[in-house]
Amino acid sequence: MAAKKYVYFFGSGRAEGTARMKDLLGGKGSNLAEMTNLKIPVPPGFTISTEACVESMKLRGKFPAGMWTQVEKNLAKLEKAMGLRFGDRNAPLLVSVRSGARVSMPGMMDTVLNLGLNDQAVEGLARRSQDPRFAYDSYRRFIQMFSNVVLDISIKYFEEILEKRKRERGVELDTELTTADLQEVVRRYKALVRERRGREFPQDPRQQLRQAVGAVFGSWNNPRAIKYREIHRLPHTWGTAVNVQAMVFGNMGERSGTGVAFTRDPGTGEKRLFGEFLMNAQGEDVVAGIRTPQSVEKLRQVSPKAYQELDRICRRLEKHYRDMQDVEFTIQDGTLFLLQTRTGKRTPTAAVRMAVDMQREGLIDKRLAVLRVDPHQVEILLHPMLDPKAKVERVARGLPASPGAAVGQAVFTAEEAEAWAARGEKVILVRAETSAEDVGGMHAAQGILTARGGMTSHAAVVARGMGKPCVAGCGDISISEAERSFLVKGRTVKESDWITIDGTTGDLMLGRLPLIQPELSGDFARLVKWADDFRKIGVRTNADTPTDAAATMDFEAEGIGLCRTEHMFFVEDRITAMREMIVADDAEGRRKALAKLLPMQRSDFKAIFERMKGLPVIIRIFDPPLHEFLPKTAHELQSLAADMGIPLERLERKVQALVESNPMLGHRGCRLAITYPEITEMQASAIFEAACQMVKERKKVLPEVMVPLVGTVEEFRHQRAIIDRVAAGVMRKSGVKVPYQVGTMIETPRACLVSDEIAAEAEFFSFGTNDLTQTTFGFSRDDAGKFLPQYIEEGILQDDPFISIDEQGVGELMALSVRKGRSARKGLEVGICGEHGGDPRSVEFCHRTGLDYVSCSPYRVPVAKMAGAHAALKEKVKITVLGEK
Ligand code: ADP
Ligand code: MG
Ligand code: MG
């Protein structure tokens, strides 16, 4: 039986692979093949497949049968193509051995350059190139890399030797070392290997190659790579390909060099060649920071022919891949070679600009343009950002734990944060790390800065949930809570000093930097418009006030999915009436107090209806437990009693009576409205009086009244009867008709299970995914900060279910509810409200589950729209992406 094909050649203008063979050849290998087929100058070589790696792992490091014979054959072909021989003492072939998985895993696995050198070959290389310094520079680099990757000797010992030699010679740069110096370095390197490994540095090139290939295979399972895959959720079963490629030399003197380039500016998206290079350098020298590289524009003067060639090839690659490319190049004695191409990473701003520009240039269609911009990236564009025109001096960098920039005065405890914020100050809460007790302070702060903790620390998880900027684990600051200050770079920042954090980058700056507020304009607005054309799922907002309603229209949402009436009660004069209602002894007393609230609510609803211009507005009946509206401290109680002119004891008794052991599952939602029906009566009156006024003014209006926290159809029926009765009364009195619907939130597991019964009575459903997640898991969201971070750290949960819908559990209940609901009422309108509505993965889930719309906070509307378009497009078209993702 013939052995399986494990090795794929590329060179002399033809390759056995193509860009579409990423799974087998890895990103690097498949793109080297593609470039070869495009006749772009790429040093020839061959790729050993990921399959070979996978099989070798199964064989505990042994190569699969037949693989090495194929390597030998391809090596012979490579020798012929190059006119050089592997291990030859006069004309030695040198190769690089490069890892390359399906997707790039930056810095995770290893590369060895100049393989094939030994004590004789280095002399041959010196003679042929007539440049002994270059030959020994290559040799010392090879020993260093091979020893590190294959023999597992830390690179730092080699760097020490090199540094020592530079010191001995009184020079600063490695380019200043002479041939003799480098020969000495090589001698010391070899001695180091002998000392550390008890044997000589391997001199046989075939043995070097075997070991290097084995080591690259093995590097797939080094702890770094495993951790990387866990974080990025990549399968461990893929394996890596190995590319063996003829060397070209950027370290052959001043007419040679190496660099990296982007076909467009990855920061701004501007269409221009962008990048850096170093003359007389090899491999990673550009990024390693040993010398300061030059901007690629300078190459125009330094090596005009190479520059023009590079510019031409970059344009060609971009046309071919139809996306911005990130390339590696090397110039050998004035001649340009390409060593890698892949789809380049970019900032959100650049992603939007490139997508729109490329559509205009005819490179991609609108569909692809929309797909080019990740909805998560859009989210970053919607947070306040540092003004790009501001001069920014970073003093420390932590983890970019929750995006957006924030400016505020430093405070060091959660209580201070709350107290200062109550006075109207803007603060940044600075803590060593946060815990559940800090949540109030985090909420009150503009942003959070912690010295300890990772991306899944309490601070990070909670801040992301709140949409607050957060820089976590900023190890460069040392905090003294006692002295209310922190130290950074020798400077002391005291309480009340202004600081600025950027949770998108992890940066900390001193002082008060200018921020810019997000808006939907220019390229961004255009892209979101295109998304509208592809998206199937509707997007509404959670909007509680006329201001929110205005934002809803600015962001071009399609209605309000959730208007929480209770938020309107927290305002100064209303809270008093609210409290009178709560304290009242009977329904009569409550009605009197509610009557004071009615006109206020009516005018709110009217203002919201006006702004919404006839788009649907879902108004939810009062939901929270009453105790949330009463003061807690003795002092506050005293002054309230005085204000209301009632004895303190009566107030205290009332507060006592309202205490619940488990308010989340207590007297709230429709349960409250069933025991206090006058609340629903007042709210329905306000809604329908406002709506009737609209109709009288010949304005369009579409109210949808929603009953919260239903578990049984009887609960719903009870509330619906009140709403319908009030609606009929108001309409009769005002002599006009208003179209309206009455529906329910679905936020308890029982409601999901009996959705057919409920849908027979309710005209629409809206999943309250926050409560549904709480009740399905039995987690209280306010207490989950105590254990969720650890759950995620240890992989007990993959994601925070309060951020992304838990598809297996909560999602399954939703799907069941939709099915049952629509079986009882054809075309039942179903949506979700709650923060999940702005989470791209949850939006995609809602699309798949057949929901009519998602509802999210106004500033997340573009995120939801982009996510909705992605979901629809991914379902319809099979997108073939050439470049490496
Ligand atoms: P990584 O995946 O970490 O970028 P690479 O395999 O791309 O590693 O190689 C590291 C560096 O070595 C890159 O700068 C690359 O251009 C350079 N390099 C790799 N192979 C060759 C070669 N055959 N000739 C010259 N330079 C090479
Ligand atoms: Mg590379
Ligand atoms: Mg709820």
Side-chain angles (χ1 to χ4, degrees):
M1 197 181 75
K4 196 176 199 167
K5 183 169 174 69
Y6 291 114
V7 183
Y8 295 76
F9 193 78
F10 57 90
S12 317
R14 277 201 44 222
E16 292 179 311
T18 72
R20 294 181 196 281
M21 291 164 70
K22 292 211 163 51
D23 294 358
L24 194 63
L25 304 182
K28 202 178 283 168
S30 66
N31 283 332
L32 285 169
E34 188 85 0
M35 286 199 287
T36 303
N37 288 327
L38 291 172
K39 314 274 186 270
I40 285 169
V42 169
F46 53 86
T47 304
I48 310 173
S49 72
T50 55
E51 262 175 19
C53 174
V54 171
E55 284 176 38
S56 157
M57 286 189 287
K58 284 191 196 133
L59 299 168
R60 301 229 194 99
K62 262 184 59 190
F63 295 145
M67 185 195 102
W68 198 255
T69 320
Q70 293 177 35
V71 168
E72 289 280 2
K73 272 202 192 116
N74 279 273
L75 197 56
K77 217 163 146 184
L78 186 57
E79 288 177 326
K80 216 168 134 212
M82 295 297 291
L84 299 169
R85 286 179 65 84
F86 206 41
D88 196 280
R89 54 178 59 220
N90 294 311
L93 168 68
L94 304 191
V95 297
S96 61
V97 178
R98 320 170 65 185
S99 62
R102 279 189 206 187
V103 297
S104 77
M105 296 167 51
M108 289 304 124
M109 291 172 306
D110 303 303
T111 291
V112 180
L113 303 181
N114 308 324
L115 186 139
L117 280 175
N118 56 25
D119 294 349
Q120 273 92 48
V122 69
E123 288 296 326
L125 186 65
R127 275 195 303 280
R128 266 181 72 83
S129 63
Q130 297 181 322
D131 188 349
R133 188 196 173 282
F134 149 73
Y136 277 92
D137 183 51
S138 302
Y139 196 21
R140 71 100 190 152
R141 287 170 189 269
F142 169 52
I143 298 174
Q144 185 169 324
M145 281 186 265
F146 186 92
S147 302
N148 178 238
V149 174
V150 182
L151 306 177
D152 200 24
I153 304 174
S154 167
I155 208 92
K156 74 167 191 247
Y157 300 115
F158 295 95
E159 276 163 1
E160 272 166 23
I161 291 173
L162 194 66
E163 282 312 307
K164 180 146 179 269
R165 189 62 191 168
K166 286 199 245 172
R167 269 201 312 278
E168 288 165 1
R169 301 280 305 172
V171 299
E172 240 176 67
L173 301 175
D174 52 354
T175 43
E176 293 171 297
L177 292 173
T178 63
T179 310
D181 291 331
L182 292 167
Q183 284 169 330
E184 178 56 28
V185 168
V186 164
R187 255 193 303 280
R188 292 183 191 175
Y189 275 9
K190 290 201 300 191
L192 175 71
V193 172
R194 202 178 305 126
E195 189 189 306
R196 294 250 149 207
R197 288 293 167 263
R199 50 193 143 87
E200 291 297 322
F201 186 82
Q203 292 287 312
D204 173 8
R206 278 190 160 64
Q207 192 197 338
Q208 292 171 356
L209 184 62
R210 244 179 188 286
Q211 290 185 14
V213 171
V216 173
F217 278 170
S219 72
W220 177 254
N221 279 331
N222 73 33
R224 254 183 322 163
I226 292 175
K227 188 84 204 153
Y228 183 92
R229 290 196 296 273
E230 276 167 6
I231 292 171
H232 292 88
R233 293 199 209 148
L234 300 172
H236 298 304
T237 51
W238 282 354
T240 178
V242 180
N243 302 286
V244 177
Q245 187 176 24
M247 286 301 301
V248 286
F249 301 99
N251 57 337
M252 247 183 175
E254 289 306 320
R255 279 172 45 81
S256 302
T258 178
V260 294
F262 292 83
T263 56
R264 297 187 194 216
D265 186 330
T268 65
E270 193 188 333
K271 190 174 181 183
R272 65 178 177 121
L273 200 57
F274 181 93
E276 290 182 326
F277 71 100
L278 263 180
M279 294 311 272
N280 200 6
Q282 188 174 54
E284 311 273 64
D285 289 1
V286 181
V287 284
I290 48 164
R291 278 178 277 151
T292 311
Q294 292 183 290
S295 148
V296 80
E297 276 112 60
K298 289 272 159 49
L299 191 63
R300 210 194 277 266
Q301 287 114 53
V302 177
S303 186
K305 219 187 82 207
Y307 178 85
Q308 257 150 40
E309 177 85 347
L310 179 66
D311 190 41
R312 192 182 61 79
I313 291 174
C314 279
R315 271 190 252 183
R316 171 111 191 274
L317 282 174
E318 202 182 81
K319 245 202 180 118
H320 182 70
Y321 284 96
R322 301 195 288 156
D323 202 352
M324 185 262 270
Q325 295 293 296
D326 160 3
V327 305
E328 290 173 0
F329 64 90
T330 284
I331 302 164
Q332 173 174 306
D333 202 19
T335 306
L336 178 80
F337 294 91
L338 271 274
L339 286 151
Q340 189 172 325
T341 188
R342 63 179 167 200
T343 300
K345 296 256 184 297
R346 60 206 74 183
T347 63
T349 315
V352 169
R353 172 156 178 193
M354 282 181 204
V356 173
D357 281 354
M358 285 184 192
Q359 190 275 339
R360 248 188 240 124
E361 293 160 24
L363 221 49
I364 56 177
D365 59 13
K366 290 181 181 168
R367 234 176 28 180
L368 265 184
V370 168
L371 285 169
R372 280 288 161 76
V373 180
D374 182 341
H376 285 105
Q377 284 188 312
V378 172
E379 174 149 15
I380 291 164
L381 292 175
L382 292 162
H383 285 104
M385 287 191 291
L386 282 179
D387 186 343
K389 291 196 276 290
K391 220 177 93 54
V392 173
E393 193 207 336
R394 174 175 88 213
V395 290
R397 173 166 271 186
L399 297 168
S402 179
V407 175
Q409 293 173 272
V411 295
F412 294 86
T413 65
E415 295 81 67
E416 294 292 324
E418 287 187 75
W420 286 51
R423 293 203 301 267
E425 314 271 11
K426 287 185 171 8
V427 298
I428 306 259
L429 177 60
V430 184
R431 305 278 297 155
E433 52 196 338
T434 61
S435 63
E437 292 83 68
D438 295 320
V439 171
M442 294 172 73
H443 202 86
Q446 302 294 309
I448 298 111
L449 169 66
T450 67
R452 290 201 296 267
M455 289 296 281
T456 52
S457 62
H458 176 268
V461 172
V462 174
R464 282 198 296 272
M466 291 177 176
K468 291 259 171 200
C470 173
V471 172
C474 187
D476 296 343
I477 65 170
S478 62
I479 301 177
S480 162
E481 202 184 308
E483 286 170 25
R484 309 197 162 199
S485 68
F486 70 83
L487 201 69
V488 59
K489 290 259 170 72
R491 282 189 269 186
T492 306
V493 175
K494 294 192 296 294
E495 184 177 77
S496 87
D497 286 351
W498 286 87
I499 56 174
T500 301
I501 59 169
D502 187 343
T504 310
T505 57
D507 291 349
L508 166 67
M509 280 80 44
L510 301 186
R512 197 177 176 173
L513 295 182
L515 302 186
I516 52 173
Q517 291 306 317
E519 58 173 307
L520 194 57
S521 63
D523 287 343
F524 187 24
R526 194 159 301 136
L527 194 74
V528 175
K529 269 251 157 30
W530 297 345
D532 283 342
D533 292 339
F534 301 122
R535 146 176 85 82
K536 295 276 181 331
I537 195 159
V539 177
R540 297 192 191 180
T541 63
N542 298 348
D544 303 333
T545 62
T547 315
D548 291 347
T552 301
M553 296 307 274
D554 288 346
F555 282 106
E556 299 183 14
E558 293 146 336
I560 291 178
L562 175 65
C563 176
R564 285 164 293 201
T565 49
E566 60 270 14
H567 284 199
M568 301 172 179
F569 296 137
F570 278 107
V571 188
E572 231 7 274
D573 50 336
R574 304 180 182 190
I575 190 89
T576 320
M578 187 66 198
R579 284 166 171 169
E580 282 171 19
M581 191 276 286
I582 296 170
V583 176
D585 288 324
D586 51 20
E588 206 38 54
R590 280 194 293 276
R591 282 219 169 82
K592 253 172 59 199
L594 284 164
K596 294 188 196 164
L597 286 170
L598 177 81
M600 304 176 198
Q601 285 241 291
R602 187 173 53 217
S603 74
D604 284 335
F605 292 143
K606 177 88 187 313
I608 289 173
F609 290 151
E610 301 252 5
R611 291 197 179 43
M612 294 309 295
K613 301 196 161 52
L615 292 174
V617 178
I618 296 187
I619 299 169
R620 180 178 69 184
I621 299 295
F622 193 85
D623 182 53
L626 293 178
H627 73 87
E628 283 191 10
F629 296 87
L630 289 180
K632 293 182 183 60
T633 66
H635 175 73
E636 285 173 320
L637 280 169
Q638 236 157 24
S639 70
L640 178 65
D643 282 354
M644 293 175 66
I646 56 167
L648 180 61
E649 297 78 67
R650 186 166 146 215
L651 189 59
E652 278 173 346
R653 255 202 324 277
K654 199 72 207 180
V655 172
Q656 272 306 312
L658 286 172
V659 168
E660 292 180 293
S661 19
N662 205 339
M664 185 194 75
L665 299 174
H667 194 195
R668 54 171 289 220
C670 63
R671 304 158 197 169
L672 187 69
I674 287 169
T675 45
Y676 294 166
E678 48 283 358
I679 296 179
T680 306
E681 280 166 17
M682 181 279 283
Q683 293 202 297
S685 302
I687 294 168
F688 289 103
E689 286 171 14
C692 285
Q693 275 182 25
M694 291 286 291
V695 173
K696 279 189 182 160
E697 293 167 21
R698 299 181 179 287
K699 292 176 186 152
K700 280 201 195 147
V701 64
L702 191 53
E704 304 186 40
V705 186
M706 181 158 74
V707 181
L709 216 65
V710 160
T712 72
V713 69
E714 288 77 11
E715 284 174 322
F716 180 75
R717 225 178 259 145
H718 179 280
Q719 289 292 297
R720 163 139 224 176
I722 299 175
I723 295 161
D724 283 338
R725 176 165 47 77
V726 171
V730 172
M731 287 194 251
R732 196 173 334 108
K733 234 166 85 192
S734 56
V736 294
K737 276 213 164 339
V738 176
Y740 74 97
Q741 296 197 327
V742 185
T744 179
M745 286 192 90
I746 301 286
E747 49 190 340
T748 64
R750 192 178 193 284
C752 294
L753 297 171
V754 300
S755 283
D756 44 354
E757 283 178 35
I758 296 176
E761 311 277 329
E763 284 155 343
F764 64 87
F765 280 2
S766 174
F767 291 106
T769 47
N770 294 340
D771 269 315
L772 188 58
T773 302
Q774 298 201 85
T775 51
T776 301
F777 275 95
F779 287 172
S780 141
R781 179 158 78 151
D782 303 316
D783 302 307
K786 293 206 174 96
F787 55 87
L788 261 191
Q790 194 180 337
Y791 268 41
I792 290 162
E793 188 90 42
E794 292 186 16
I796 291 170
L797 280 176
Q798 282 291 322
D799 297 290
D800 183 338
F802 293 106
I803 293 177
S804 263
I805 288 176
D806 153 55
E807 292 185 17
Q808 293 90 8
V810 177
E812 198 55 30
L813 279 171
M814 288 169 66
L816 174 79
S817 166
V818 171
R819 229 178 18 251
K820 287 196 141 195
R822 290 201 176 136
S823 76
R825 184 185 290 267
K826 241 184 125 219
L828 174 77
E829 175 191 286
V830 186
I832 72 163
C833 52
E835 278 308 299
H836 293 99
D839 167 64
R841 250 191 306 151
S842 307
V843 174
E844 197 167 329
F845 172 78
C846 292
H847 167 92
R848 286 201 313 268
T849 312
L851 267 55
D852 296 295
Y853 68 86
V854 296
S855 185
C856 57
S857 69
Y859 81 94
R860 282 173 118 181
V861 164
V863 179
K865 286 182 162 190
M866 289 295 288
H870 274 235
L873 285 171
K874 280 180 194 155
E875 195 175 69
K876 254 192 22 214
V877 284
K878 178 154 170 42
I879 294 110
T880 44
V881 188
L882 276 180
E884 184 181 357
K885 267 283 169 197

